């Protein structure tokens, strides 16, 4: 390599420090490494102990639990882990010597950091590192040690677990391009005997609520000694898959989330089961460039959360132990059903695994030769860069250049980089983005192909598709590149909903210019947009997601389309026809004992057409809704809002939800019968008032005609026009977005023909 690199290995973590820069993800772990004064070699062995009252001798009925991981490096043993739920105050913990079912003497005293409740704690490596004799190493490797945690009322031991090697979670791939159709979890058996997996269960936990969302029994399967077991979403897209489960897409959430291996059965982990260490054998908490989830880490006794996007290549890399069963965790190309093999000689790789470029431009592929010991051997190496026609969606006509390209390294320089240049052909017609895949082959000299040994070049299509109606775009479905125009009906945080006369569509943007425009109040209800992007599905919801939005523009502003008056029975039966569109449901009852709404929560709802909970009300994440923390109405309400969907099971024709985004989406009111004109002209009280960002104004027209609603400041200056034009005789609702205005008192003036109504509203920052 060009820089000298030292690797410090820590249980469940990998740190790299170069001579030019140092990057540490945790100052606590850095301190631990300094205190240890040495590093684990790659051959470090991992042992685990699952702690319970049932394992005590004699057994007790304690519901406390814990998990300990012990990493043996030579003769040094480093212990980490956690325990929780002791029935009385903690008094001590030790490593004892005795086989399972027998009590033995204390060998080492463990030193946990005990929490304030005195019933839970964690074992940090810095305080629990021990030097073993040769005899103690033998005892450890033959299951002769156990961990015992003592408490006041159970002085002889409240929870215990035998230390031994166990089946481990070896690799997790949680994210790929598109609909994530090749996700998998791999287990590895480090022991010398085959293991029956009939008593094992894999449980997936969602970081949004630190609770389970999937659980899979492994009954009927056996994992060989030094063997692998792969659970996947689709055996057709995942090599060496042993258990193909549903859903076939988006099986593993992208993070911050967790995968855990337990002794038990899936029936013990119904949906929304909180994280637990009871029966826990192994766990991996991971993300794709997300913040750490302290609840998952603490609940599963883990010290480190791993980032699958560590190298900026989350769609093509996975998180895995290196080598299999070791304490080291790396992020690299997936190897389902196989372990990583460290090359011994020079290695050729692409310097990056992927890039994107538009057709008609030039692309450069960089190939590098590295020596593991940083010492060049002077022997030339020739490498061929081959176009992989089978793995590509593009074809050779899409570019010109050497195919295959060939580069020859001198062998005299470590980290020598050579280049292959391609010209991308400007193709007529709308093709959409295509992938050109290239592989490395050593044709002369001696070298291994390392990781990444495959390069994916995404070629962007610069030809603009014709403008589609929403219905036409929805008919094209996931993967289609479309241009659509519509009016925004709801927009907050990462989600924007827009529709035309034929249908609706969802836009999800977590960053970028569109996201910034929503945050600044430039894109609000009533904004007319043109979007150019590629459609994708997430749990049934058709959307333009993040980087799939190629371009957008504001065409103007107008009134928000009138909501479609429907009932829950109609939505449950024909939800797809209303997805992302504005609807109105009257006489809605929210079935909950909660006093206030909570973000990221789903509520059962009924109306006169359905009392069987066929539909649900969803309060989105706090940044995507103003409803979080507001009072749950105790009376029936009028819902006016958009329809979302979350259905993880094929054929994804259920799971439609009423999305409560604005506080005015739920109004306690005595409404007219559907289609019946109001008998009076009226401007209802703004909801909420006072307000911090947006408020909803509802008004009734007893006759059709010209209408104007405007906002004035305390000096009488007009600061906004909310609606102006011909409106039908019915109840109307508009949203006033005041994010660009200063705090103060404003006046709403509604004029309809000869009738006028005013109301004061207060904006608070």
């Amino acid at each position: 390599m060009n820089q000298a690199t030292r690797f410090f290995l820590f249980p469940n973590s990998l740190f790299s420090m170069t001579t030019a820069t140092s990057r540490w993800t945790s100052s606590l772990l850095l301190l631990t490494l300094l205190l240890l004064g040495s590093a684990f070699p790659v051959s470090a062995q991992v042992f685990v102990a699952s702690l319970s009252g049932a394992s005590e001798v004699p057994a007790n009925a304690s519901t406390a639990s814990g998990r300990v991981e012990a990493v043996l490096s030579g003769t040094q043993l480093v212990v980490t882990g956690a325990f929780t739920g002791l029935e009385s105050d903690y008094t001590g913990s030790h490593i004892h010597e005795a086989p399972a079912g027998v009590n033995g003497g204390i060998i080492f005293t463990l030193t946990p950091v005990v929490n304030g409740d005195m019933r839970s704690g964690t074992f940090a490596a810095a305080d629990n590192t021990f030097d073993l004799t040769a005899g103690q190493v033998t005892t450890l490797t033959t299951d002769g040690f156990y961990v015992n945690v003592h408490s006041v009322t159970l002085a002889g031991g409240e929870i215990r677990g035998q230390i031994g090697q166990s089946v481990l979670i070896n690799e997790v791939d949680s994210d790929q391009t598109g609909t994530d159709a090749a996700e998998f979890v791999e287990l590895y058996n480090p022991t010398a005997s085959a293991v029956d997996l009939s008593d094992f269960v894999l449980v997936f936990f969602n970081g949004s609520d630190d609770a389970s969302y999937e659980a899979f029994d492994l009954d009927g399967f056996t994992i060989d000694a030094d063997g692998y077991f792969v659970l996947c979403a689709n055996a057709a897209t995942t090599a060496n898959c042993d258990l193909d489960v549903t859903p076939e897409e988006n099986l593993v959430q992208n993070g911050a989330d967790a995968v855990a291996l337990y002794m038990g059965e899936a029936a013990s982990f119904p949906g929304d089961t909180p994280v637990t260490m009871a029966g826990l054998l192994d766990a991996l908490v991971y993300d794709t460039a997300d913040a750490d989830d302290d609840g998952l880490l603490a609940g599963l006794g883990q010290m480190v959360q791993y980032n699958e996007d560590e190298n900026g290549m989350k769609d093509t890399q996975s998180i895995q132990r290196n080598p299999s069963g070791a304490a080291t965790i790396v992020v690299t190309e997936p190897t389902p059903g196989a372990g990583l093999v460290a090359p011994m000689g020079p290695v050729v790789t692409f310097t990056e695994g992927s890039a994107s470029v538009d057709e008609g431009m030039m692309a450069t592929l960089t190939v590098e030769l590295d020596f593991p010991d940083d010492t060049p051997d002077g022997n030339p190496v020739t490498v061929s860069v081959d176009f992989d026609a089978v793995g590509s969606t593009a074809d050779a006509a899409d570019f010109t250049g050497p195919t295959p390209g060939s580069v020859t390294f001198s062998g005299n320089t470590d980290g020598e980089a050579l280049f292959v240049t391609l010209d991308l052909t400007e193709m007529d017609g709308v093709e959409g983005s295509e992938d050109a895949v290239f592989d490395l082959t050593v044709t002369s000299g001696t070298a291994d192909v390392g990781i990444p040994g495959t390069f994916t070049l995404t070629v962007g299509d610069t030809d603009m598709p014709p403008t589609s109606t929403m219905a036409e775009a929805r008919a094209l479905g996931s993967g289609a590149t479309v241009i659509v125009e519509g009016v925004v009906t709801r927009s907050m945080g990462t989600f924007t909903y827009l529709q035309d006369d034929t249908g609706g569509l969802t836009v999800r943007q977590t960053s970028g210019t569109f996201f910034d425009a929503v945050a600044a109040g430039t894109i609000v209800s009533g904004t007319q947009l043109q979007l150019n992007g590629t459609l994708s599905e997430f749990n049934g919801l058709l959307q333009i997601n993040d980087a799939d939005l190629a371009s957008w523009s504001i065409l103007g502003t107008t009134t928000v389309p009138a909501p479609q008056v429907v009932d829950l029975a109609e939505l449950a039966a024909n939800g797809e026809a209303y997805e992302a569109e504005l609807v109105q449901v009257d006489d809605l009852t929210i079935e909950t004992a909660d006093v206030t709404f909570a973000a990221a929560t789903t509520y059962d709802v009924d109306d006169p057409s359905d009392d069987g909970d066929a539909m649900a009300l969803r309060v989105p994440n706090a940044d995507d809704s103003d409803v979080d923390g507001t009072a749950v109405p105790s009376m029936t309400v009028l819902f006016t809002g958009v329809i979302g969907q979350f259905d993880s099971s094929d054929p994804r024709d259920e799971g439609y939800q009423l999305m409560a985004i604005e506080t005015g989406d739920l109004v306690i009111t005595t409404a007219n019968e559907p289609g019946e004109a109001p008998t009076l002209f009226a401007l209802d009280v703004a909801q909420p008032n006072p307000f911090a960002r947006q408020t909803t104004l509802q008004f009734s027209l007893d006759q059709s005609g010209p209408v104007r609603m405007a906002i004035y400041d305390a000096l009488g200056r007009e600061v906004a026009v909310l609606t102006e034009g011909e409106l039908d005789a019915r109840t109307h609702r508009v949203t006033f977005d005041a994010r660009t205005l200063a705090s103060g008192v404003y006046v709403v003036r509604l004029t309809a023909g000869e009738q006028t109504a005013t109301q004061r509203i207060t904006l608070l920052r």
Side-chain angles (χ1 to χ4, degrees), residues 119-474:
R119 308 295 174 90
S120 59
T122 56
F123 299 103
D127 300 322
N128 297 280
T129 299
F130 310 99
D131 291 320
L132 276 59
T133 65
Q136 289 171 337
V137 170
T138 300
T139 301
L140 174 67
T141 57
T142 55
D143 302 341
F145 288 141
Y146 66 90
V147 173
N148 203 11
V149 178
H150 308 262
S151 63
V152 171
T153 57
L154 291 167
E158 181 165 339
I159 53 175
R160 164 179 168 161
Q162 206 72 21
I163 302 175
Q165 287 191 303
S166 170
V167 173
L168 298 170
I169 296 172
N170 202 59
E171 183 175 1
V172 173
D173 192 347
S174 70
D175 203 6
Q176 292 104 29
T177 56
T179 55
D180 294 356
E183 295 176 334
F184 67 90
V185 176
E186 175 192 83
L187 305 181
Y188 172 70
N189 177 14
T191 73
S193 302
V195 174
D196 183 356
L197 297 177
S198 294
D199 293 327
F200 290 69
V201 57
L202 268 172
V203 182
F204 297 173
F205 290 101
N206 195 317
S208 65
D209 56 2
D210 298 341
S212 65
Y213 64 92
E214 293 282 6
F216 302 100
D217 285 318
L218 307 185
D219 295 347
F221 291 94
T222 299
I223 183 169
D224 293 336
D226 190 31
Y228 301 88
F229 174 87
V230 177
L231 178 146
C232 75
N234 189 342
T237 57
T238 306
N240 302 314
C241 180
D242 297 290
L243 177 57
D244 187 336
V245 299
T246 56
E248 288 194 349
E249 298 174 351
N250 301 304
L251 169 67
V252 186
Q253 297 291 336
N254 294 349
D257 299 301
V259 174
L261 180 66
Y262 291 90
M263 294 295 293
E265 55 185 17
S268 300
F269 296 90
D272 293 327
T273 300
V275 289
T276 177
M277 283 185 282
L280 179 65
L281 296 175
D282 196 17
L284 183 108
V285 183
Y286 63 89
D287 62 74
T288 49
D290 302 294
D292 279 2
D293 189 310
D294 294 335
L296 288 176
L297 290 167
L300 295 170
Q302 301 299 299
M303 302 294 181
V304 180
Q305 179 171 308
Y306 298 99
N307 178 13
E308 189 170 318
D309 201 33
E310 178 74 23
N311 304 318
M313 300 168 64
K314 63 182 178 61
D315 292 338
T316 57
Q317 295 190 335
S318 67
I319 303 168
Q320 52 187 302
R321 295 179 182 269
N322 182 31
S324 296
T328 311
I329 303 289
V330 299
V331 178
T332 187
E333 291 184 352
T335 59
L340 293 172
V341 178
M344 301 303 294
V347 179
V348 291
T349 62
F350 288 107
T351 56
E352 56 185 352
S354 62
S356 298
V357 64
D358 287 338
E359 60 183 10
M361 305 298 288
M362 184 176 68
T364 300
L365 283 59
T366 306
V367 186
E368 184 172 293
L369 177 68
D370 293 298
F371 294 85
D373 58 359
D374 302 333
T375 304
D377 60 13
N379 296 316
V381 175
T382 300
V383 179
S384 174
V385 180
D386 305 303
F387 174 65
D388 182 355
V390 176
S392 301
T393 54
D395 56 47
D398 289 321
F399 55 87
T400 58
T403 52
S406 183
V407 293
T408 299
F409 296 94
S410 66
N412 296 320
T413 304
D414 180 49
E416 182 179 0
L418 299 176
F419 310 97
V420 173
T421 301
L422 303 173
D423 288 318
L424 284 304
T425 305
E426 180 72 46
M427 305 295 287
D428 293 330
V430 179
E431 299 176 295
S433 296
E434 297 178 304
D435 288 337
V437 179
F438 299 88
D439 301 316
L440 294 178
T441 303
V442 177
T443 58
S444 177
T446 301
D448 291 309
V449 176
I451 297 174
T454 298
F455 182 86
T456 301
L457 181 66
T458 300
V459 182
D461 186 4
T462 57
D463 296 305
M464 298 289 284
T467 302
S468 302
T469 66
M470 293 293 183
E472 290 169 341
R474 295 188 67 86

Side-chain angles (χ1 to χ4, degrees), residues 81-103:
F83 61 91
T84 187
L86 296 181
E87 295 187 355
S88 60
D89 288 356
Y90 167 88
T91 57
S93 54
H94 313 90
I95 293 177
H96 298 250
E97 182 176 355
V102 178
N103 290 324

Side-chain angles (χ1 to χ4, degrees), residues 19-106:
T19 55
T21 60
S22 298
R23 180 177 180 272
W24 302 101
T25 58
S26 168
S27 58
L28 173 61
L29 295 180
L30 171 58
L31 175 61
T32 298
L33 292 170
L34 295 176
L35 291 171
L36 291 177
S38 62
F40 296 128
V42 171
S43 59
Q45 295 175 277
V46 178
F47 299 81
V48 298
S50 182
L51 312 181
S52 68
S55 297
E56 287 286 353
V57 181
N60 63 59
S62 172
T63 58
S65 61
R67 179 185 182 272
V68 164
E69 182 167 299
V71 177
L72 178 66
S73 172
T75 59
Q76 186 181 75
L77 187 69
V78 177
V79 177
T80 59
F83 61 91
T84 187
L86 296 181
E87 295 187 355
S88 60
D89 288 356
Y90 167 88
T91 57
S93 54
H94 313 90
I95 293 177
H96 298 250
E97 182 176 355
V102 178
N103 290 324
I106 296 173

Side-chain angles (χ1 to χ4, degrees), residues 208-209 594 596-603 618-630 660:
S208 65
D209 56 2
D594 295 346
T596 58
F597 286 113
T601 303
T602 302
Y603 298 90
R618 175 71 176 179
V619 177
N621 294 335
D623 292 339
D624 301 330
S625 171
D626 276 341
V627 178
D628 177 36
T630 63

